[in-house]
Amino acid sequence: MAGETILVVDDEANIVDLAALYLEQEGFRVQSARDGARALEMIARQPPALLVLDLMLPGADGWEVCRRVRSGKVAPDLPIIMLTARDDDVDKIVGLELGADDYVTKPFNPRELVARVKAILRRTRRATLSQAPVHVGDVTVDPARHEVTVGGRPVDLRPKEFDLLLALAEHRGIVLSREQLLDQVWGYDFYGETRTVDVHIAHLRKRLAGASTGLETVVGVGYTLVAGG
């Protein structure tokens, strides 16, 4: 991870400086932008390894930047950590709906931010390692190519959706609790935000519509991926 570039987007200089201080201590290169428009320009020119993005920005806010990154042709799989001054479940769910990978609420512990950056990059790298495809019924998850197919038909997934499906595929037929999925996919204690898993599971079900293999809910326990007949 050392040497990878992290783009920190925040209009508060002290936030940028604090994040940069701790990230650079861990060997990351840090770039910064004070508004959404500038951030989009920098991403288009040279995508970073990860984006730390404040929600409340002048001009294009964090939601708009996230939306445009995810819907564009430049770096649509760019990992995104959103910063918010409000610990609001609605904000978090909207951010996840738009494709954010994680949330940190201000004021934050900079060591926690670094830990989350490392966790996301570690998960992203794992998905790119040379691994054999995992087959569960008519669903195939290929970690090396970062591709998913249903009956040979390609399915587009966001990075966290892919990681979540891979975790379930690797444990096919086994029920994984929300806490286990949070730990395996997000890589750290997500402070009991099990709603995060539910949101991503809902997205996966929509994207896998038509597959005989299904995501089953075991009430009071968690989720499992089961091959159809």
Side-chain angles (χ1 to χ4, degrees):
M1 295 183 191
E4 290 184 300
T5 299
I6 309 299
L7 176 57
V8 180
V9 186
D10 199 303
D11 60 339
E12 297 182 61
N14 61 321
I15 295 294
V16 174
D17 292 344
L18 181 64
L21 174 64
Y22 280 80
L23 288 166
E24 288 172 349
Q25 285 178 348
E26 296 297 321
F28 293 105
R29 295 178 61 248
V30 178
Q31 297 179 338
S32 64
R34 297 296 177 87
D35 59 72
R38 176 60 177 161
L40 290 167
E41 290 175 2
M42 295 175 70
I43 293 167
R45 185 172 67 248
Q46 183 63 54
L50 182 143
L51 176 64
V52 177
L53 177 65
D54 186 33
L55 275 181
M56 307 305 292
L57 294 169
D61 61 22
W63 283 296
E64 179 62 20
V65 172
C66 185
R67 184 184 297 108
R68 290 174 63 176
V69 168
R70 287 289 179 255
S71 63
K73 295 181 180 179
V74 178
D77 295 331
L78 174 64
I80 298 174
I81 296 178
M82 279 191 168
L83 298 178
T84 175
R86 297 179 295 177
D87 189 11
D88 190 323
D89 286 341
V90 173
D91 283 352
K92 294 179 181 181
I93 292 168
V94 170
L96 292 171
E97 292 277 356
L98 292 175
D101 295 277
D102 194 6
Y103 258 95
V104 174
T105 303
K106 298 178 183 178
F108 60 85
N109 183 328
R111 292 187 177 85
E112 178 188 348
L113 175 64
V114 171
R116 295 190 181 206
V117 166
K118 288 183 175 180
I120 290 176
L121 291 178
R122 186 166 54 247
R123 297 295 172 177
T124 301
R125 183 174 290 105
R126 188 191 74 161
T128 63
L129 294 176
S130 179
Q131 300 179 32
V134 182
H135 305 279
V136 184
D138 59 347
V139 171
T140 298
V141 184
D142 189 335
R145 295 178 178 273
H146 208 271
E147 293 177 349
V148 172
T149 59
V150 173
R153 171 180 59 85
V155 176
D156 291 329
L157 296 182
R158 292 169 175 167
K160 269 296 175 277
E161 293 168 353
F162 181 92
D163 292 346
L164 181 56
L165 182 61
L166 178 60
L168 289 164
E170 289 175 336
H171 297 83
R172 50 193 173 279
I174 298 174
V175 180
L176 296 177
S177 69
R178 292 172 176 83
E179 289 76 14
Q180 287 174 314
L181 289 169
L182 283 171
D183 180 64
Q184 290 188 36
V185 177
W186 280 261
Y188 54 85
D189 181 2
F190 204 53
Y191 299 101
E193 293 287 352
T194 53
R195 173 67 176 169
T196 301
V197 175
D198 298 335
V199 169
H200 283 78
I201 287 288
H203 288 174
L204 274 178
R205 283 183 169 140
K206 291 178 182 178
R207 298 184 190 277
L208 298 180
S212 62
T213 297
L215 289 160
E216 294 189 358
T217 302
V218 179
V219 178
V221 183
Y223 297 100
T224 183
L225 186 65
V226 179

